[in-house]
Amino acid sequence: MAGYIAEFFGYKSEDGSKKALSQSGSRICPFTHSTCSKLFAHGKKGIPNGVCAVRQKSKDSPDIICCPNRIYADDYKILNVISEKAFGKKLKLCAGKNAVDVAKKDGGAIAVFGHGWGGELHLPKRKGTGSYFVDWVLARLDENANLVEFTAIEVQTIDTTGNYQTAYSHLNDKREVVSDSVGLNWENVNKRIIPQLIYKGQVLQREDLCKTGLYFVCPKAIYDKVIERLGGKEKLPQMPTQPASIHFFAYDYDSEKSKKGQITPLKEIEEYCTAVYKVQEAFSSVSLPDGNVYKSAILKSLGIC
């Protein structure tokens, strides 16, 4: 496979404006406002590579986000959006225990845990493989700073295969867009993403104060692959919000607002709510081929059919 770096330190790779060049030169992620955490593992090991999105070389291939931090554009807007949807009111988001004082002062607040906001939640370790941990927990406190309810958010972007070190060098040195061997790891949708959603959704279903289940935020292309793998929406009936909910949030670029010298904003493409047990049923349901496919293949290869 072959592809391109589509977005570099927040700006389109083709964007040679002063702002785009200054951002890449700073090595600062424009979404977290800290040094880019996406590092090369080999060759240029330890160097921030600034790759936010990639696209394949095939015709009409879309730009697909490959760094979760890209989802946190507009000062973590997605957290505010989900907070309002989950809790039905607009409250200030605060890092972890800082929410206690704010809740008493403002009549309520949201304590945020995840990605440096509020520290790690000390959850029990699971025996075997896997983890209970989700990317974000939003906990609503009332006017007395009592914990009333919480919700959880999982963010997933595409994992890449191959390499983009040559493409990086051309962008970094000359702001020149060239192809490289970078590909997209769609197999992770089947092997890792869906099983994790099922497991974490089941864990949250057992929580007394998690009334809205799990929110899963991902680029539209990943959302489409997940729904396709699960057999389409006919296998996933839309259901009301409940502790067993999985809310799929599909995001993508708002291309109509893309301008040179500016970061392309994201927009919500679709929200779809179903239940974790429906996802599990759909994932376990496999469409089998007709009988004797191996026999037919063997006979064909032997030239005796």
Side-chain angles (χ1 to χ4, degrees), residues 51-217:
V51 179
C52 306
V54 297
R55 70 173 178 272
Q56 293 298 268
K57 204 171 182 179
S58 56
K59 186 179 179 181
D60 299 325
S61 176
D63 296 351
I64 301 180
I65 297 171
C66 63
C67 178
N69 288 336
R70 182 62 177 92
I71 300 292
Y72 308 139
D74 297 325
D75 292 324
Y76 295 85
K77 179 181 177 180
I78 185 62
L79 300 185
N80 285 284
V81 170
I82 291 178
S83 175
E84 288 188 47
K85 287 180 179 287
F87 305 131
K89 57 179 66 178
K90 188 172 184 178
L91 294 169
K92 186 174 181 179
L93 273 60
C94 308
K97 64 177 64 175
N98 294 341
V100 172
D101 290 338
V102 174
K104 292 178 180 178
K105 176 185 175 183
D106 295 349
I110 306 299
V112 182
F113 298 92
H115 292 267
W117 272 64
E120 182 180 337
L121 292 175
H122 297 289
L123 299 173
K125 292 185 178 180
R126 180 190 177 196
K127 294 180 181 179
T129 60
S131 172
Y132 303 97
F133 290 95
V134 291
D135 291 316
W136 298 91
V137 169
L138 307 182
R140 182 169 76 86
L141 309 183
D142 66 13
E143 65 275 9
N144 297 313
N146 294 317
L147 175 60
V148 179
E149 59 180 319
F150 71 89
T151 197
I153 305 170
E154 190 78 359
V155 176
Q156 181 66 54
T157 52
I158 193 68
D159 289 333
T160 58
T161 61
N163 199 300
Y164 46 62
Q165 292 197 34
T166 298
Y168 163 85
S169 294
H170 280 258
L171 264 177
N172 188 60
D173 298 341
K174 297 178 284 188
R175 200 70 183 195
E176 181 181 33
V177 181
V178 301
S179 64
D180 214 332
S181 63
V182 61
L184 303 173
N185 190 359
W186 292 118
E187 190 57 30
N188 254 358
V189 173
N190 299 338
K191 292 169 59 176
R192 186 165 65 86
I193 297 175
I194 298 176
Q196 281 193 12
L197 289 178
I198 293 169
Y199 178 74
K200 292 175 181 180
Q202 289 175 332
V203 171
L204 290 166
Q205 185 181 353
R206 295 162 57 88
E207 291 285 337
D208 294 337
L209 297 182
C210 187
K211 303 173 183 178
T212 55
L214 177 67
Y215 285 81
F216 176 57
V217 183

Side-chain angles (χ1 to χ4, degrees), residues 9 14 20-21 23 33 43 57 69 112 128 143 179 183 202 217 220 222 225 230-231 287 290 304:
F9 286 96
E14 296 82 4
L21 296 176
Q23 192 70 54
H33 308 295
K57 204 171 182 179
N69 288 336
V112 182
E143 65 275 9
S179 64
Q202 289 175 332
V217 183
K220 177 67 162 50
I222 292 180
K225 284 288 185 180
L230 293 173
S287 298
D290 295 334
I304 54 177

